[in-house]
Amino acid sequence: MDLAGKNIFLLQEGGISHLDALVTDDKDITHADAKALAKALQSAKEHSLYEIGVRATTYKDKGLTQDEIAKELGYSRTKIVRALQAASVSKEIYFNFNDINELTVKDYNELYKLFLELEKRSDSTQLIKTIQQGNVEFVMDQIKQLVIMPKKKLVHTEMHVLMEFKEKNKYAKKRKKGRNFGYDFSHLTAEDENILDEAVQMALEEIRLKQ
């Protein structure tokens, strides 16, 4: 604080509730430097709700309650609740917004609800990767479409035992998933393997002749 600033503060006899001061050891700071710093401070943006949520999450992980986090960070409890919800949304989604600061409280609330629905899908990770970068409306519309997109029918793998063996680690099974199938054998002898190879070759030859 310079001499003029000190005089103003003293003349007001403590009536100033807030005073910004720059403390520096550099006595040669120029007027241009001071002007540039003032411009930078004026143009600085408030942290986004997601960024606040990321900070709040570190306190939550330490065991602090939402009220304690709010007091620690200097925000209302309501804002901390919203921020924690925002931070729970995959950061991969936020990367797609051209400017995260354009998201409103309403956008964050909607995004949180959409993400919860998206997480219920087994293919959510793959779907998120398909989102294209753009403005808030463009990205949000894509997420809405992903949520209502028909789910792919899961195809379960079926296992059928082909032969029982006395040895516990010895088996012969057929594995089938949709129109794909294969055979699994374990701890068969080399002689058994040759017998199976010959049988497969004969079967393939028979299939070839049918074509």
Side-chain angles (χ1 to χ4, degrees), residues 51-60 64 66-76 79-80 83-84:
E51 292 168 331
I52 296 173
V54 171
R55 290 179 60 198
T57 300
T58 61
Y59 288 97
K60 182 182 178 182
L64 272 69
Q66 293 177 348
D67 288 327
E68 291 171 334
I69 297 172
K71 184 178 180 180
E72 189 72 26
L73 297 181
Y75 296 108
S76 66
K79 189 161 190 175
I80 291 301
L84 288 171

Side-chain angles (χ1 to χ4, degrees), residues 115-131:
F115 181 68
L116 291 181
E117 291 298 316
L118 194 59
E119 267 200 318
K120 295 178 182 179
R121 300 180 58 115
S122 59
D123 57 348
S124 61
T125 302
Q126 290 73 28
L127 292 177
I128 290 174
K129 292 180 180 179
T130 66
I131 300 175

Side-chain angles (χ1 to χ4, degrees), residues 32-50:
D33 292 332
K35 188 176 180 181
L37 178 60
K39 183 178 180 181
L41 292 173
Q42 290 171 1
S43 61
K45 294 182 179 179
E46 183 183 356
H47 290 297
S48 68
L49 200 59
Y50 170 73

Side-chain angles (χ1 to χ4, degrees), residues 4-203:
K6 292 178 181 178
N7 289 338
I8 292 173
F9 187 81
L10 291 172
L11 288 172
Q12 292 296 324
E13 298 181 350
I16 298 177
S17 60
H18 180 75
L19 179 66
D20 291 324
L22 173 64
V23 180
T24 176
D25 292 331
D26 187 359
K27 298 180 181 178
D28 298 325
I29 185 170
T30 65
H31 177 70
D33 292 332
K35 188 176 180 181
L37 178 60
K39 183 178 180 181
L41 292 173
Q42 290 171 1
S43 61
K45 294 182 179 179
E46 183 183 356
H47 290 297
S48 68
L49 200 59
Y50 170 73
E51 292 168 331
I52 296 173
V54 171
R55 290 179 60 198
T57 300
T58 61
Y59 288 97
K60 182 182 178 182
D61 293 340
K62 293 178 181 178
L64 272 69
T65 65
Q66 293 177 348
D67 288 327
E68 291 171 334
I69 297 172
K71 184 178 180 180
E72 189 72 26
L73 297 181
Y75 296 108
S76 66
R77 183 180 182 278
T78 300
K79 189 161 190 175
I80 291 301
V81 172
R82 290 172 176 167
L84 288 171
Q85 290 179 346
S88 68
V89 175
S90 172
K91 63 180 180 180
E92 303 298 329
I93 290 180
Y94 286 111
F95 289 155
N96 294 292
F97 290 104
N98 288 337
D99 186 356
I100 192 175
N101 293 291
E102 293 179 352
L103 287 164
T104 65
V105 173
K106 183 179 179 181
D107 292 328
Y108 276 110
N109 186 48
E110 184 177 15
L111 181 61
Y112 175 67
K113 292 178 180 179
L114 288 171
F115 181 68
L116 291 181
E117 291 298 316
L118 194 59
E119 267 200 318
K120 295 178 182 179
R121 300 180 58 115
S122 59
D123 57 348
S124 61
T125 302
Q126 290 73 28
L127 292 177
I128 290 174
K129 292 180 180 179
T130 66
I131 300 175
Q132 298 179 18
Q133 188 173 353
N135 59 30
V136 174
E137 184 180 0
F138 180 66
V139 175
M140 293 292 282
D141 284 343
Q142 290 182 76
I143 300 173
K144 291 175 186 176
Q145 291 302 315
L146 293 179
V147 170
I148 64 176
M149 183 181 294
K151 296 180 181 180
K152 292 182 179 180
K153 186 177 180 180
L154 295 177
V155 181
H156 298 284
T157 300
E158 301 175 10
M159 296 295 292
H160 303 281
V161 177
L162 300 176
M163 184 176 179
E164 297 284 353
F165 297 93
K166 293 181 179 179
E167 299 89 338
K168 292 182 179 180
N169 59 350
K170 193 173 185 179
Y171 61 78
K173 300 178 181 179
K174 178 181 179 180
R175 173 175 28 84
K176 182 174 175 59
K177 184 176 182 180
R179 298 185 63 181
N180 300 321
F181 64 91
Y183 297 92
D184 295 329
F185 302 99
S186 177
H187 284 76
L188 296 184
T189 64
E191 183 180 356
D192 293 335
E193 183 179 353
N194 289 332
I195 293 173
L196 289 169
D197 286 341
E198 290 179 4
V200 169
Q201 289 298 326
M202 290 177 62

